[in-house]
Amino acid sequence: MAAFSIFFFCFTISSHSLYTFAMTSDTIFMNQTITDGQTIVSAQETFELGFFSPGNASENRYLGIWYKRLATGTVAWVANRENPIRNKSGELTLQTDGVLVLRDSATNSIIWSTNTKGKTRNPVARLLDDGNLMVIDDEKDNGPENYIWQSFDHPGETKLPGMKLGWNFESGIVTNFTSWKSDDDPSQGPFMVYMNFNGLPQIYQNNGDVIQYRLGSWNGQAFTARPAARPNSIYRLEYVSNEREIYTKFDSINDSILSRLTVTPSGITGRYTWVNRTQGWFLFSAFNTDTCERYALCGVYGACDSTQSTSCGCLEGFTPKSQAQWDISDWTSGCQREVALDCGVREGFRKYRFMKLPDTRQSWYDTNMTLEQCNAKCRNECNCTAYATLNIKYGSGCLLWYEELIDMRVIPRDGQEIYIRMAASELGKVFCF
Ligand SMILES: *[C@@H]1O[C@H](CO)[C@@H](O)[C@H](O)[C@H]1NC(C)=O
Ligand SMILES: *[C@@H]1O[C@H](CO)[C@@H](O)[C@H](O)[C@H]1NC(C)=O
Ligand SMILES: *[C@@H]1O[C@H](CO)[C@@H](O)[C@H](O)[C@H]1NC(C)=O
Ligand SMILES: *[C@@H]1O[C@H](CO)[C@@H](O)[C@H](O)[C@H]1NC(C)=O
Ligand SMILES: *[C@@H]1O[C@H](CO)[C@@H](O)[C@H](O)[C@H]1NC(C)=O
Ligand SMILES: *[C@@H]1O[C@H](CO)[C@@H](O)[C@H](O)[C@H]1NC(C)=O
Ligand SMILES: *[C@@H]1O[C@H](CO)[C@@H](O)[C@H](O)[C@H]1NC(C)=O
Ligand SMILES: *[C@@H]1O[C@H](CO)[C@@H](O)[C@H](O)[C@H]1NC(C)=O
């Protein structure tokens, strides 16, 4: 009898703790509803999901994910960015079909939903310690890609470690990052960091339709605006390009160091790390470090050099298209050749070193060709204006440009090499490849 009652006692306790675990757990179960004031917390208590009001001045309620342990309440993701709830009547429910639905119970209107389709047996929504909210089917074998929906596929202004920026050809999902309108308003602002897939894929930042900055293309170890792979203790960059997807992401080297990339409402894209000592975010690095980052500042065949007193110069063998404009620091009209090309057989290439490679939207590339094969291909096509090594880490592959070359800058020490097509008479002067 005694043994039985102990067993019974234990059973009651564990059943009770299971119940409370469910209420403060990392998981929303089928048919479960989270109301304003309730939250779920990831297993290691890194992130929390619930309702919040942004900034100081807003009463609007949003469903979001924030860092659980940071007093600053930094928000990492917002579900209903464009569609706030006016009062504390929000309700998040996981339906039996695996769709997460956010309702305003005051009006019984649907504010936001995950819009997924398909049959599910036992869907659950789980907040992971990397900040990803995933809807999975608990009764299926869940490989890492075998999810129904995840917030990482629908980022806002913050890129967390593990989040992809790119294009998944199978799901059709394109991910990019857009600023909030203001600290009080998470709806989409004008600034966007995205990947363009024309030619060799590149990362840009836009303000509306205008390109502001170009981080550029991947060179095997980094992006060409920051071409060196500088070892650091915070994060590791990765770029993947295969038949299923193209993306870049960064991973934390040490999970106890929090790191995020954020596009602020004023258009500053920065990598921030959390500093325990100051209890604040530290701007570790930013896209726009100097004047030379401004897209196409020096026009075609111009190169920006922040070590010079005037930012813009023409590449050797080129002169300003409009000297008058250059004289007043209006460089955008760029440079023209001193000797025009005529597609003659003796045309060749001049090597320029320490460069941020030009815009690759009008480019072609091959991962296997050698630099010699690259030279031959470019030489044989009159409209090919330049070539370079695709992967400088392994010294392999071929990158070819067509059209005029734009948005170059001089990067002392770390810049890349590019071979630019020149008339025969230009080549004798300095260097003949
Ligand atoms: C969930 O709700 C639906 C509709 O109300 C109901 O048919 C179903 O039995 C519920 N499932 C569970 C596991 O509670
Ligand atoms: C909130 O208000 C304080 C004090 O006025 C200000 O310092 C802080 O920047 C504000 N924060 C936001 C997010 O607006
Ligand atoms: C919530 O807001 C709606 C309008 O947005 C209003 O009709 C309703 O009365 C409000 N409910 C409460 C409890 O304040
Ligand atoms: C940004 O992402 C959205 C959502 O996936 C997509 O519709 C849009 O085309 C993307 N824009 C760019 C410029 O990549
Ligand atoms: C991670 O960083 C913490 C704090 O700086 C440090 O104590 C720990 O040793 C680091 N872990 C690793 C694996 O480097
Ligand atoms: C910062 O503090 C948190 C909480 O005390 C701790 O878990 C983390 O390891 C610390 N990080 C570093 C880099 O010291
Ligand atoms: C490039 O080379 C790799 C290994 O040598 C090979 O597997 C791959 O099929 C080649 N790709 C192309 C496009 O030729
Ligand atoms: C360049 O010229 C070749 C023929 O020489 C042509 O096949 C190709 O389409 C042209 N490429 C561009 C981008 O104009």
Side-chain angles (χ1 to χ4, degrees):
M1 275 309 273
F4 177 76
S5 74
I6 286 166
F7 172 77
F8 184 77
F9 177 73
C10 290
F11 179 79
T12 333
I13 291 287
S14 70
S15 143
H16 174 73
S17 64
L18 258 180
Y19 178 72
T20 50
F21 176 74
M23 294 311 283
T24 59
S25 79
D26 59 356
T27 303
I28 304 172
F29 298 97
M30 184 166 49
N31 283 359
Q32 193 187 342
T33 293
I34 300 281
T35 58
D36 197 323
Q38 295 180 322
T39 64
I40 62 167
V41 176
S42 66
Q44 302 296 314
E45 303 201 329
T46 315
F47 286 97
E48 183 164 30
L49 174 139
F51 293 86
F52 73 100
S53 293
N56 302 340
S58 174
E59 302 263 288
N60 287 339
R61 303 298 285 171
Y62 295 89
L63 177 73
I65 296 171
W66 57 86
Y67 291 87
K68 164 80 174 159
R69 284 189 295 242
L70 307 189
T72 50
T74 309
V75 173
W77 183 77
V78 180
N80 53 320
R81 282 185 89 172
E82 306 294 334
N83 206 1
I85 302 169
R86 303 287 167 206
N87 46 33
K88 298 193 173 182
S89 47
E91 286 184 353
L92 178 70
T93 305
L94 181 63
Q95 296 181 166
T96 45
D97 57 2
V99 177
L100 273 172
V101 178
L102 177 60
R103 276 198 184 76
D104 184 347
S105 64
T107 58
N108 202 30
S109 54
I110 292 179
I111 299 294
W112 173 89
S113 85
T114 54
N115 255 331
T116 52
K117 291 189 200 74
K119 274 221 177 327
T120 54
R121 296 174 64 87
N122 183 24
V124 297
R126 185 163 290 139
L127 180 62
L128 306 181
D129 269 309
D130 58 7
N132 193 4
L133 177 65
M134 279 186 123
V135 180
I136 56 172
D137 198 336
D138 230 11
E139 280 183 14
K140 284 196 189 133
D141 179 26
N142 291 298
E145 296 295 316
N146 221 347
Y147 57 84
I148 297 163
W149 181 90
Q150 62 172 3
S151 61
F152 271 22
D153 284 338
H154 306 276
E157 99 291 26
T158 295
K159 190 171 196 275
L160 298 170
M163 244 181 187
K164 293 172 179 177
L165 167 63
W167 181 9
N168 185 312
F169 310 131
E170 285 175 359
S171 64
I173 286 169
V174 176
T175 42
N176 48 50
F177 297 82
T178 48
S179 64
W180 289 17
K181 275 220 177 75
S182 72
D183 287 340
D184 298 319
D185 180 1
S187 66
Q188 190 172 319
F191 302 103
M192 178 187 281
V193 172
Y194 63 99
M195 206 181 260
N196 177 285
F197 301 94
N198 294 119
L200 185 61
Q202 299 179 94
I203 295 175
Y204 292 91
Q205 176 172 326
N206 270 37
N207 179 356
D209 291 335
V210 178
I211 297 174
Q212 290 185 291
Y213 313 111
R214 185 180 64 93
L215 199 55
S217 51
W218 182 254
N219 65 19
Q221 58 187 26
F223 291 93
T224 190
R226 310 271 186 283
R230 295 220 177 284
N232 72 82
S233 54
I234 312 283
Y235 68 94
R236 198 182 302 111
L237 256 188
E238 189 184 347
Y239 178 84
V240 171
S241 172
N242 58 36
E243 51 294 332
R244 292 183 52 233
E245 56 185 337
I246 297 177
Y247 68 83
T248 178
K249 66 173 176 141
F250 71 94
D251 290 304
S252 279
I253 289 172
N254 183 337
D255 281 342
S256 72
I257 303 173
L258 301 176
S259 163
R260 66 187 166 93
L261 203 76
T262 293
V263 193
T264 68
S266 53
I268 295 168
T269 298
R271 182 181 298 282
Y272 297 84
T273 54
W274 180 259
V275 179
N276 276 349
R277 190 179 56 78
T278 58
Q279 288 294 298
W281 291 102
F282 172 71
L283 181 59
F284 183 79
S285 61
F287 262 33
N288 41 338
T289 47
D290 60 26
T291 312
C292 284
E293 298 287 6
R294 277 156 61 186
Y295 180 73
L297 180 70
C298 304
V300 295
Y301 296 115
C304 198
D305 188 345
S306 56
T307 66
Q308 301 294 313
S309 53
T310 47
S311 300
C312 290
C314 290
L315 296 178
E316 204 178 334
F318 297 82
T319 53
K321 276 186 187 164
S322 164
Q323 189 62 50
Q325 284 173 17
W326 275 59
D327 288 345
I328 57 164
S329 308
D330 177 8
W331 300 293
T332 51
S333 56
C335 308
Q336 62 196 0
R337 293 176 180 279
E338 286 170 353
V339 182
L341 297 176
D342 60 2
C343 201
V345 287
R346 296 190 52 247
E347 274 177 5
F349 298 90
R350 177 181 286 159
K351 177 175 171 177
Y352 297 81
R353 301 170 68 202
F354 307 117
M355 302 294 286
K356 172 188 177 183
L357 295 183
D359 197 309
T360 53
R361 279 177 293 175
Q362 302 278 353
S363 73
W364 176 94
Y365 64 99
D366 180 282
T367 50
N368 285 17
M369 279 164 70
T370 64
L371 198 59
E372 290 69 33
Q373 291 169 323
C374 201
N375 169 295
K377 181 170 167 62
C378 194
R379 189 181 289 275
N380 288 336
E381 293 177 68
C382 283
N383 54 6
C384 178
T385 45
Y387 70 92
T389 298
L390 181 66
N391 185 318
I392 60 170
K393 187 175 178 186
Y394 300 120
S396 62
C398 171
L399 174 55
L400 298 182
W401 281 264
Y402 300 95
E403 309 290 332
E404 297 184 301
L405 306 175
I406 198 161
D407 194 42
M408 287 170 277
R409 68 173 294 182
V410 176
I411 304 179
R413 261 191 351 268
D414 297 329
Q416 297 181 236
E417 294 175 350
I418 180 171
Y419 298 86
I420 299 178
R421 187 180 211 102
M422 299 301 261
S425 64
E426 275 287 321
L427 293 169
K429 287 185 195 165
V430 192
F431 178 86
C432 185
F433 185 75

